[in-house]
Amino acid sequence: MLRKNRLTMAVSAALGMGAAAVLPQVASAQEQLLVEEVVVTGSRIQKANLVSASPVTQVDAEDFKFQGTVRVEDLMKNLPQVYSNQNSSTSNGATGTATLNLRNLGDERTLVLVNGRRLPAGSPLQGGIGADINQIPASLIQRVEVLTGGASATYGSDAVAGVVNFIMVDDFEGVQFDYQFSQYQHDNDNGRVQGIVGDAGFPFPDGSETGGDIQSWSLIMGGNFDNGRGNVTAYATYREIDPVLQSERDYSACALNNPGTGCFGSGTSAAGTFIPGDGSQGVYRVSGNQLVEPTEVYNYGPLNYYQRPDERYTAGAFGRYQINEHVETYTELMFMDNQTNAQIAPSGAFFLSVPIACDNPFLSDQQVGAICGDYGLGMDDTQTVVIGRRNVEGGPRNQDLRHTSFRGVLGFRGDINETWRYDVSGLYSEVSMENTYNNDLSNAKILKALNAVEDPDTGATVCASVLDGTDPNCVPWNLWTEGGVTQEATDYLSLPLFARGTTTQKVFNGFIAGSLGDYGVKLPSANNGVEVVIGAEYRKEELNFNPDEGFRLGLGAGQGGATVAVEGAAYDVNEFFFEASVPLVEGAAYAEEVTLDLGYRYSDYSTDVTTDTYGIRAGWAINQDVKLRASFQRAVRAANLRELFRPQGLNLFDMDVDPCGGATPDRSFEDCARTGVTAAQYGNILNSFAGQYNQLEGGNTELDPEESDTYSVGFIWSPAFVEGLVLSVDYYTIEIEKGIDNLGAEFTLNQCLDGNDSQCEKIRRGPLGDLWIGSDVNVSGRVSALLDNLAIEEVKGWDIIADYDVSIGDMGTLMFNNTMSIIDTWDQQELEGAPVVDCKGNWGGECGYPTPDFRNNLRATWMTPWDVTVSGYWRHISKVTDLNGNLNLPSVNYFDIAGSWDVMDGASIRLGVNNVFDKEPPIAGNAAGPSINGNGNTFPGMYDALGRYMFVGVSVSF
């Protein structure tokens, strides 16, 4: 059994948390609570204050077991302050990592630490810059501390929204083996959605569906040596996760349209979509060997993963050794190998402009007439046809993602004398990524395979490139006849893609800390003197991303454009920092303790940027019952390597319809003309069948650091007349300026339509007036969305935490913990002078991912006298309004229950069910697309998308 020590209890006291935050193993320690000096997230100063001046939320290791968590992301995303973008339910656009996003301000603005030291960028892939918490073994977590708001003065760049600090067990003694099996179950009984899917002619699941099995093994070994002067704690874990397809849930059996009233889909279908010339004479699909109307849509949802398959190994060790009374050496070694697969619908010809000869031997007479004759072309002519045809014969695309990481820390710390101590350390981290993309098609080969001619010698239909010798391996692709595609053609068109990359991080940190009170530096009103920390840090970040030629040239038909390399991206920063804790008053009436904390950091980047960050915090313990706290933090976030050095390339964004598209556009011709629409194109522009449009993205080496100011004020109340009750209330405001972002492509388009000519130059219409056909960065329609210092964001809210434990005599103890987050303001401006968009309680439009204005978690635990502990958990998420006016997301209540039984000394069993009542996730329709981290008609990072979760585990220690 993992041992809790006095340190855990001391931290709980400093954070203003009652014993309910520290579960069974430490219950008996309440009678001998000894508060020693500890370091709490947000400062390097050791202290045993009655009140922490920083608002920190703590998650105890037992919460992981009661939730049945084997993926750290699953527990963390349930916290009201935490959002999850990249996670195990991401398929289209997956990086293979798991990231944390505090206050919905972005992964890149959340600093993740292990034992107070940084984790590296999770992946060199686009969207992977956030730290990958897959690296963290859940079984070794002692506690997690979540700090609200800026902390750059203490930790440097990136701590804008806050800090998540994972404190690991590093003093374990003994051997512990743990195994857990878990799986999902859902009753597919949503008659409304089943009716929609059935009416569209698509299959859907009915009745109970069980799967998505997760198995986890962990082994922890540790012990003291040399008469307790040292300890080594080692661990090894293995995790295996089975996939869940969207076809296994009725509410994701088809991609619903934005209002949720019918099935959406892609025009890149099995029957194809064919647009000859300008499409004025018709848009067709293949039936038999005829071109007919109307077109069909392809249901791309069912083959997408709702839960990716995953296999992970971790291993490592934490060690320390007291060399003498002045020197202790310590080390942290962490290794991870994680392999996962992101599967989405088959590739195809995604509306390529293809020259088709009117005498193509595959064409029937009717097809020749529709393609050529109706446009006045003869058999010797060639017609340009835009073709969307799904490669259903080749199966789904799948992206095999493998991340191998190593993180090592070596340091020395100790007391110089009774006044001064020091800590010097070096950290090296490296993440190696392998990306193998299977079952895509080659655009270049598609063009060759569609250029079919008759062999004059044999009369057989062959590729023209076979006759002229440019590609003797070409096999013609017969899209013009149902059942005409051969396996040989599919094999020829297939294009595997490969990319490799690394991120590395080097940090050298050193500081000295001292008690100036030993020199008489203290106020007359205080008993203790001033505590200071003076230090320096050097950090270097590097990123390399090397896609193969197929990726770089955009040859993959299903990639939405070229995947550009990022080579030799690097910067370093030299920093100096200072902290001071000044006791102002101690032991006075109505001022048991008043403390002022100060912090400052100077940073000099190799990118010719310098920053100053600083903070001031105050804590006032009126008495043992009432404690007040307030803080101000100036934080910065320097541009990361991808933001600085990523070359320009096309990507996709989600938009319902082009305001200038369709037979009856939403906007006038005069408006649309500003975006490049001609009179002939107006009323004839096709909307994207999948609701996805092209945007041009890229980095900017001239980016300035983001700046943010965080204010917080709160109190902690632990009344003596209600033993066991601790209530903390904190109000915060986070203001961000010069936010590094791109203007939303839809925002840019609307600004141009509304008459802002400065935004019109960012829009280029394609040859047919569209913004989505093709993926040629030089020709295809697109909206430019390059990075700049633009965004202005302001978030205000309340965090309210209540802990209460009460003895019920011979029946044991009841423990309650309630964590509440209220968002009062969540405003954003795309750029200065633009309209302020209220994202509080909204989703969609310029807000994107849902931002509920109220989230609450309540846990009740009964520690019985029979070696059994039972815990219930209520999770509430408030309703969220769709800014597009389609699907509002209703409020959701989830109920979880779990229990553990200490069978004998050193052996326990646990089991539980999360989402006991199998509550379905709110349906958001196709608007919950990958560009805003949606999947399967909902937001799995916010809601329980897979239904009921059941787990059973056993732990044996000796």
Side-chain angles (χ1 to χ4, degrees):
M1 181 177 296
L2 296 183
R3 296 191 171 106
K4 307 278 186 188
N5 54 28
R6 292 179 297 173
L7 181 62
T8 303
M9 296 300 295
V11 170
S12 298
L15 298 182
M17 301 178 120
V22 186
L23 284 171
Q25 282 90 333
V26 296
S28 62
Q30 296 175 46
E31 299 175 358
Q32 52 180 7
L33 178 60
L34 300 175
V35 177
E36 55 189 38
E37 291 189 337
V38 297
V39 176
V40 175
T41 298
S43 175
R44 287 187 168 88
I45 292 178
Q46 290 183 348
K47 47 178 139 178
N49 289 16
L50 292 174
V51 56
S52 169
S54 297
V56 178
T57 301
Q58 178 176 312
V59 180
D60 189 71
E62 292 303 318
D63 285 323
F64 285 82
K65 292 190 175 181
F66 280 130
Q67 285 301 106
T69 299
V70 296
R71 291 180 296 223
V72 175
E73 66 188 84
D74 290 339
L75 178 71
M76 297 303 298
K77 73 181 184 182
N78 286 339
L79 289 179
Q81 303 93 332
V82 177
Y83 296 73
S84 176
N85 293 342
Q86 284 291 334
N87 50 65
S88 60
S89 59
T90 308
S91 194
N92 194 352
T95 63
T97 63
T99 60
L100 299 177
N101 170 6
L102 287 176
R103 309 292 179 190
N104 207 14
L105 286 169
D107 302 347
E108 68 281 0
R109 292 172 175 164
T110 299
L111 181 62
V112 180
L113 310 173
V114 171
N115 291 337
R117 300 177 184 86
R118 288 175 177 260
L119 282 181
S123 175
L125 287 169
Q126 181 182 353
I129 207 72
D132 183 10
I133 59 174
N134 276 316
Q135 301 177 51
I136 301 172
S139 57
L140 211 67
I141 294 174
Q142 182 182 98
R143 67 182 185 275
V144 186
E145 296 174 359
V146 180
L147 170 66
T148 293
S152 292
T154 303
Y155 300 112
S157 179
D158 304 334
V160 172
V163 177
V164 180
N165 189 12
F166 291 89
I167 311 299
M168 312 302 289
V169 174
D170 61 0
D171 58 354
F172 183 76
E173 294 181 67
V175 177
Q176 176 177 285
F177 171 78
D178 189 274
Y179 169 77
Q180 180 172 298
F181 174 83
S182 52
Q183 65 179 192
Y184 292 92
Q185 184 273 330
H186 176 65
D187 293 321
N188 289 296
D189 56 3
N190 191 321
R192 187 186 73 85
V193 174
Q194 289 178 359
I196 291 172
V197 179
D199 290 345
F202 300 136
F204 57 84
D206 191 19
S208 178
E209 190 82 37
T210 302
D213 296 358
I214 304 174
Q215 297 188 74
S216 174
W217 293 261
S218 71
L219 178 66
I220 302 174
M221 296 183 294
N224 295 332
F225 59 92
D226 196 8
N227 296 318
R229 295 174 63 183
N231 179 277
V232 173
T233 300
Y235 68 92
T237 75
Y238 174 74
R239 184 183 72 194
E240 183 179 37
I241 300 175
D242 291 343
V244 177
L245 292 167
Q246 290 182 23
S247 62
E248 298 174 43
R249 299 293 185 268
D250 50 13
Y251 46 80
S252 58
C254 81
L256 294 170
N257 60 19
N258 291 338
T261 57
C263 285
F264 197 65
S266 169
T268 306
S269 63
T273 298
F274 300 87
I275 310 171
D278 61 4
S280 60
Q281 301 303 307
V283 178
Y284 307 103
R285 62 180 168 87
V286 166
S287 177
N289 65 349
Q290 308 285 298
L291 287 176
V292 301
E293 296 183 289
T295 58
E296 294 178 348
V297 295
Y298 176 76
N299 183 15
Y300 53 80
L303 291 175
N304 287 21
Y305 281 142
Y306 234 157
Q307 173 175 273
R308 297 193 313 269
D310 180 277
E311 185 176 34
R312 186 196 72 168
Y313 300 86
T314 67
F318 297 85
R320 56 177 174 78
Y321 181 68
Q322 186 79 37
I323 297 174
N324 56 45
E325 61 179 337
H326 297 294
V327 181
E328 180 181 65
T329 184
Y330 60 92
T331 188
E332 300 175 8
L333 302 173
M334 300 175 66
F335 169 82
M336 180 199 73
D337 183 76
N338 187 56
Q339 188 166 3
T340 187
N341 188 282
Q343 179 174 291
I344 59 176
S347 186
F350 289 94
F351 292 90
L352 289 178
S353 294
V354 183
I356 299 295
C358 296
D359 63 352
N360 186 304
F362 283 138
L363 296 177
S364 67
D365 292 342
Q366 185 270 347
Q367 290 172 332
V368 172
I371 292 175
C372 299
D374 290 351
Y375 291 87
L377 301 177
M379 295 300 288
D380 294 331
D381 294 321
T382 297
Q383 173 69 289
T384 298
V385 182
V386 175
I387 299 176
R389 172 45 160 87
R390 186 74 57 169
N391 178 36
V392 292
E393 297 83 6
R397 287 166 284 176
N398 66 81
Q399 184 180 17
D400 191 79
L401 293 162
R402 183 173 187 175
H403 289 85
T404 304
S405 68
F406 171 77
R407 177 179 182 270
V409 175
L410 177 63
F412 297 89
R413 62 194 173 201
D415 294 331
I416 299 173
N417 52 39
E418 292 184 356
T419 300
W420 295 95
R421 62 182 177 87
Y422 68 92
D423 193 322
V424 181
S425 64
L427 179 154
Y428 177 80
S429 298
E430 180 175 307
V431 177
S432 176
M433 184 276 306
E434 298 177 8
N435 176 11
T436 303
Y437 203 102
N438 298 304
N439 270 6
D440 206 349
L441 301 188
S442 165
N443 278 327
K445 289 183 177 182
I446 288 174
L447 295 175
K448 293 177 182 178
L450 290 175
N451 187 11
V453 298
E454 184 178 300
D455 187 327
D457 296 330
T458 65
T461 301
V462 297
C463 300
S465 60
V466 171
L467 295 185
D468 64 24
T470 57
D471 187 355
N473 297 316
C474 180
V475 178
W477 195 25
N478 181 9
L479 305 182
W480 309 101
T481 303
E482 281 190 87
V485 176
T486 64
Q487 184 61 49
E488 291 76 15
T490 300
D491 292 342
Y492 166 73
L493 294 170
S494 179
L495 176 69
L497 299 165
F498 305 94
R500 302 291 183 266
T502 59
T503 70
T504 60
Q505 181 185 81
K506 300 174 185 175
V507 182
F508 297 96
N509 178 289
F511 66 86
I512 58 172
S515 301
L516 300 187
D518 293 351
Y519 303 113
V521 181
K522 70 181 187 68
L523 295 177
S525 55
N527 299 323
N528 295 296
V530 176
E531 301 281 337
V532 296
V533 168
I534 304 169
E537 183 170 291
Y538 170 82
R539 177 166 57 91
K540 183 172 185 178
E541 305 277 355
E542 298 176 276
L543 185 148
N544 284 282
F545 177 61
N546 300 301
D548 68 358
E549 184 178 56
F551 266 132
R552 293 198 311 273
L553 298 180
L555 299 181
Q559 299 304 305
T563 301
V564 294
V566 182
E567 299 178 353
Y571 71 78
D572 58 32
V573 55
N574 292 289
E575 301 181 288
F576 302 93
F577 56 88
F578 168 81
E579 287 185 61
S581 181
V582 184
L584 300 179
V585 180
E586 292 176 306
Y590 304 107
E592 186 73 20
E593 180 181 294
V594 181
T595 303
L596 181 70
D597 295 338
L598 306 171
Y600 172 78
R601 178 179 288 250
Y602 172 80
S603 305
D604 185 358
Y605 290 84
S606 60
T607 54
D608 294 327
V609 170
T610 61
T611 63
D612 298 277
T613 59
Y614 42 87
I616 179 170
R617 303 187 299 269
W620 175 15
I622 297 175
N623 50 41
Q624 293 290 337
D625 293 0
V626 181
K627 309 169 185 71
L628 309 179
R629 58 190 178 192
S631 68
F632 166 77
Q633 298 281 340
R634 163 60 61 89
V636 299
R637 185 181 75 84
N640 62 52
L641 293 170
R642 271 197 163 272
E643 291 169 336
L644 289 169
F645 301 111
R646 181 192 170 202
Q648 295 182 6
L650 289 184
N651 209 329
L652 301 175
F653 72 97
D654 296 312
M655 183 168 64
D656 291 353
V657 295
D658 183 344
C660 299
T664 56
D666 295 337
R667 303 298 288 257
S668 68
F669 170 67
E670 290 74 17
D671 291 344
C672 293
R674 284 194 287 268
T675 73
V677 175
T678 66
Q681 291 168 343
Y682 187 74
N684 297 301
I685 297 173
L686 285 175
N687 283 309
S688 167
F689 295 93
Q692 293 181 321
Y693 296 81
N694 291 330
Q695 65 180 2
L696 180 69
E697 297 180 344
N700 180 356
T701 57
E702 301 301 315
L703 289 171
D704 291 327
E706 296 180 336
E707 296 178 355
S708 80
D709 290 335
T710 299
Y711 304 85
S712 71
V713 59
F715 69 87
I716 301 170
W717 183 45
S718 50
F721 61 85
V722 185
E723 185 178 356
L725 173 64
V726 179
L727 173 68
S728 68
V729 178
D730 290 283
Y731 179 78
Y732 65 88
T733 175
I734 303 172
E735 301 173 0
I736 299 174
E737 295 184 349
K738 300 168 64 176
I740 298 171
D741 204 352
N742 56 283
L743 286 182
E746 187 172 3
F747 172 85
T748 298
L749 178 60
N750 287 329
Q751 284 283 298
C752 175
L753 290 167
D754 291 339
N756 187 342
D757 292 337
S758 67
Q759 300 303 313
C760 294
E761 62 187 22
K762 300 177 181 178
I763 301 167
R764 183 182 68 203
R765 295 278 175 177
L768 299 179
D770 64 279
L771 294 170
W772 61 278
I773 294 176
S775 56
D776 188 328
V777 71
N778 297 311
V779 177
S780 300
R782 50 82 175 152
V783 180
S784 180
L786 302 179
L787 290 172
D788 208 338
N789 291 104
L790 299 169
I792 302 171
E793 293 160 279
E794 183 175 25
V795 181
K796 299 178 181 179
W798 298 84
D799 286 336
I800 302 172
I801 301 174
D803 290 288
Y804 180 58
D805 67 280
V806 56
S807 173
I808 51 177
D810 295 340
M811 300 297 289
T813 302
L814 291 177
M815 308 172 73
F816 302 90
N817 170 260
N818 193 87
T819 302
M820 179 187 301
S821 175
I822 302 172
I823 293 180
D824 179 64
T825 301
W826 210 117
D827 291 343
Q828 69 174 28
Q829 288 178 275
E830 295 276 359
L831 73 167
E832 189 172 359
V836 175
V837 179
D838 180 8
C839 293
K840 179 192 72 172
N842 295 320
W843 79 278
E846 294 164 31
C847 294
Y849 198 81
T851 307
D853 57 11
F854 180 75
R855 295 171 71 183
N856 190 84
N857 293 349
L858 170 64
R859 179 177 294 283
T861 303
W862 178 22
M863 297 169 52
T864 77
W866 311 293
D867 297 322
V868 173
T869 300
V870 180
S871 183
Y873 200 38
W874 168 50
R875 296 176 280 135
H876 174 80
I877 302 172
S878 65
K879 67 178 182 179
V880 186
T881 302
D882 184 0
L883 289 183
N884 292 319
N886 292 314
L887 286 170
N888 297 331
L889 309 179
S891 61
V892 178
N893 293 286
Y894 296 113
F895 295 92
D896 311 331
I897 188 168
S900 66
W901 175 32
D902 293 333
V903 180
M904 61 180 68
D905 189 25
S908 64
I909 297 174
R910 64 185 180 277
L911 71 163
V913 180
N914 297 343
N915 191 6
V916 171
F917 300 110
D918 190 24
K919 182 73 173 179
E920 291 184 359
I923 299 301
N926 187 70
S931 68
I932 59 171
N933 303 299
N935 191 24
N937 296 318
T938 190
F939 296 95
M942 173 69 66
Y943 304 103
D944 289 16
L946 300 181
R948 186 179 287 116
Y949 174 77
M950 305 168 290
F951 65 91
V952 59
V954 59
S955 181
V956 179
S957 59
F958 49 89

